[in-house]
Amino acid sequence: VQLQESGPGLVKPSETLSLTCTVSGGSVSSEIYYWSWIRQTPGKGLEWIGYFYHGRTNYHPSLKSRVTISLDTSKNLFSLNLNSLTTADTAVYYCSSLMFRDAHSWFDPWGQGILVTVSS
Amino acid sequence: SSELTQDPAVSVALGQTVRITCQGDSLRSYYASWYQQRPGQAPVLVIYPKNNRPSGIPDRFSGSSSGDTASLTIGGAQAEDEADYYCASRYNNGNHWLFGGGTKLAVL
């Protein structure tokens, strides 16, 4: 499976960020993958945002009120929406897949990442 | 602690062995995974639970764990191993995920 992010590189404060992650080499409907978003900032490092799995979502508590992750099976992609943006949301956003073996987990693969700057 | 703590920077002489550690309470319950990130690139998985290497990762990379500490060992470090290394694990509650702050490895 390969993943590729796309979306705007610049968004204004208070607006909504919409990113998509196109999946190739596999199906977004697969039961193997928990489709995830992760972001990286210089100040806070890597931060897990959340995942979508079989109609269920799970979000980081600090972002839960502002984030939505969804699937588009017709286009074989999944999406991230993050609203009420502030400059603190400036980051490189990665899509990835969360994998499990028993109770243990890991993220693989990762997309190449997309830099999103929040600025007026 | 709900955090994963890593040393900010570590150095190793070319060809020598280096261990990078990750400490946190969640590691008593969940195995860590490890990621290599070269400048300007996305993280790449190098160790997944339980201390396994993905295909394509050199066998000089290995993982181990004891108590609240997970370790990534590079046996015979090469110049191309110079990168940032991150650990990751589930939170103690099992519902969310967190990353360590990263360790910058310099190969001298």
Side-chain angles (χ1 to χ4, degrees):
Chain A
V1 170
Q2 293 86 42
L3 305 176
Q4 176 73 58
E5 304 89 348
S6 59
L10 178 65
V11 287
K12 290 180 168 53
S14 80
E15 293 187 342
T16 296
L17 171 65
S18 294
L19 298 176
T20 61
C21 181
T22 300
V23 179
S24 58
S27 171
V28 77
S29 301
S30 171
E31 295 185 6
I32 299 174
Y33 306 106
Y34 289 62
W35 301 113
S36 301
W37 288 93
I38 296 161
R39 68 182 183 179
Q40 185 172 29
T41 62
K44 294 183 69 176
L46 288 165
E47 181 179 42
W48 172 76
I49 297 171
Y51 68 64
F52 184 104
Y53 179 72
H54 266 272
R56 294 191 295 112
T57 54
N58 183 13
Y59 303 131
H60 194 289
S62 70
L63 298 170
K64 187 174 183 178
S65 63
R66 299 194 292 129
V67 67
T68 303
I69 298 175
S70 58
L71 253 63
D72 186 335
T73 56
S74 67
K75 296 180 180 177
N76 212 41
L77 58 77
F78 60 103
S79 301
L80 169 71
N81 275 12
L82 183 64
N83 60 36
S84 304
L85 292 173
T86 71
T87 55
D89 295 310
T90 294
V92 176
Y93 287 76
Y94 295 99
C95 58
S96 181
S97 168
L98 179 61
M99 309 289 289
F100 282 89
R101 174 174 293 171
D102 302 324
H104 310 288
S105 54
W106 62 98
F107 294 96
D108 185 58
W110 296 59
Q112 68 181 26
I114 182 168
L115 173 62
V116 176
T117 302
V118 181
S119 175
S120 54
Chain B
S1 167
S2 60
E3 298 178 341
L4 294 178
T5 302
Q6 298 182 241
D7 291 329
V10 171
S11 63
V12 61
L14 184 68
Q16 296 302 301
T17 295
V18 62
R19 186 168 69 177
I20 297 169
T21 61
C22 173
Q23 185 176 23
D25 284 346
S26 65
L27 299 179
R28 296 184 184 277
S29 303
Y30 301 107
Y31 277 80
S33 53
W34 288 93
Y35 306 86
Q36 177 193 68
Q37 186 177 35
R38 296 189 174 108
Q41 297 185 17
V44 172
L45 178 73
V46 294
I47 294 289
Y48 66 97
K50 304 174 182 175
N51 301 324
N52 293 293
R53 267 179 299 106
S55 60
I57 300 300
D59 61 6
R60 63 179 179 271
F61 288 86
S62 63
S64 61
S65 59
S66 178
D68 68 348
T69 301
S71 300
L72 172 69
T73 300
I74 306 173
Q78 301 301 302
E80 61 264 31
D81 299 334
E82 191 162 280
D84 294 331
Y85 291 86
Y86 295 89
C87 60
S89 174
R90 295 173 80 163
Y91 271 114
N92 276 335
N93 64 12
N95 291 335
H96 307 115
W97 279 259
L98 70 162
F99 290 86
T103 296
K104 182 176 292 293
L105 176 66
V107 180
L108 306 176

